[in-house]
Amino acid sequence: MKNIVLLGFMGTGKSAVGRALAKELKYRFVDTDQRVEEKSGKKIAELFTENGEAYFRELESQAVQEAVQQGACVISTGGGAILNPKNLEALRRNGFLVLLESDPEVILKRVQKRAGQRPLLQGPDPLAEIKRLLEERAPYYRCADFTVNSSYLRVEEVTRAIKKKVLEIEGRENTR
Ligand code: S3P
């Protein structure tokens, strides 16, 4: 079975849903941000400050390439991972791409709960920055095979919607 790849902006629930989905499907779970932290021995925010975004993106790319090798894996990606065409190519070739979307105001509330963890949103007007980045990234996120709006759904509800879709597709593939 192909991997299931969760894409989407910060605060859309990729990590929580990814973990729950992997458990449901009995897949392995890989979170690319977590892999970057393990590789560097630093928290993402620290890594951005001490080594810069370009270095973070390099480690993120390595984490993506390693994750897709596995198969039967739920991969939760950092919100900017698919901006790199190489990452997108690898994820698309080896996975079913699921986009989690949320309203900017909902994203802001969620990221504020973990203040200081999102280096890209540390400016004076994080809501405006969220809206700007969402607009800039919209064409990239459009590559998804399936989209769930997670603004007002609980983790279990989002997980159930993705699982239903995956089983549907698997069923179709098995009858070919
Ligand atoms: C980023 C999203 C973050 C993390 C880094 C950069 C982005 O991951 O990879 O801070 O560019 O959108 P989450 O989407 O898991 O918060």
Side-chain angles (χ1 to χ4, degrees), residues 11-25:
T12 53
K14 293 166 297 194
S15 299
V17 170
R19 204 166 292 116
L21 185 65
K23 205 168 165 192
E24 279 281 323
L25 295 172

Side-chain angles (χ1 to χ4, degrees), residues 3-172:
N3 300 298
I4 299 164
V5 180
L6 301 185
L7 317 170
F9 203 75
M10 297 171 251
T12 53
K14 293 166 297 194
S15 299
V17 170
R19 204 166 292 116
L21 185 65
K23 205 168 165 192
E24 279 281 323
L25 295 172
K26 300 191 172 56
Y27 278 22
R28 280 180 295 267
F29 174 63
V30 179
D31 184 310
T32 60
D33 282 341
Q34 196 184 326
R35 288 294 300 127
V36 168
E37 292 190 340
E38 286 163 4
K39 277 172 180 289
S40 64
K42 293 180 187 179
K43 291 283 171 201
I44 304 282
E46 239 182 298
L47 193 59
F48 265 69
T49 316
E50 293 175 14
N51 304 82
E53 181 173 350
Y55 183 61
F56 164 78
R57 295 294 174 200
E58 219 175 276
L59 294 187
E60 179 178 58
S61 208
Q62 283 176 22
V64 166
Q65 301 298 335
E66 287 162 17
V68 295
Q69 312 284 318
Q70 305 199 31
C73 196
V74 176
I75 305 169
S76 164
T77 59
I82 47 120
L83 303 182
N84 176 337
K86 267 199 198 155
N87 293 347
L88 178 57
E89 223 283 296
L91 292 164
R92 182 193 280 296
R93 187 152 24 95
N94 298 288
F96 178 67
L97 306 186
V98 178
L99 173 67
L100 298 191
E101 282 185 327
S102 291
D103 300 344
E105 291 76 11
V106 173
I107 290 174
L108 180 66
K109 271 200 193 143
R110 291 185 186 148
V111 298
Q112 280 178 337
K113 278 192 196 152
R114 299 190 177 187
Q117 285 189 13
R118 277 13 190 262
L120 294 181
L121 302 177
Q122 296 308 305
D125 189 348
L127 183 61
E129 187 58 9
I130 290 169
K131 289 181 180 167
R132 190 190 70 75
L133 283 171
L134 278 174
E135 204 176 311
E136 185 179 284
R137 292 177 176 185
Y140 297 89
Y141 290 146
R142 238 171 257 142
C143 63
D145 300 304
F146 181 59
T147 301
V148 180
N149 189 314
S150 61
S151 296
Y152 304 103
L153 295 181
R154 284 178 287 123
V155 169
E156 309 86 76
E157 293 172 309
V158 179
T159 304
R160 205 177 311 134
I162 301 172
K163 183 180 172 186
K164 185 166 171 264
K165 185 72 185 177
V166 169
L167 295 180
E168 214 177 275
I169 291 170
E170 272 188 349
R172 239 184 282 147

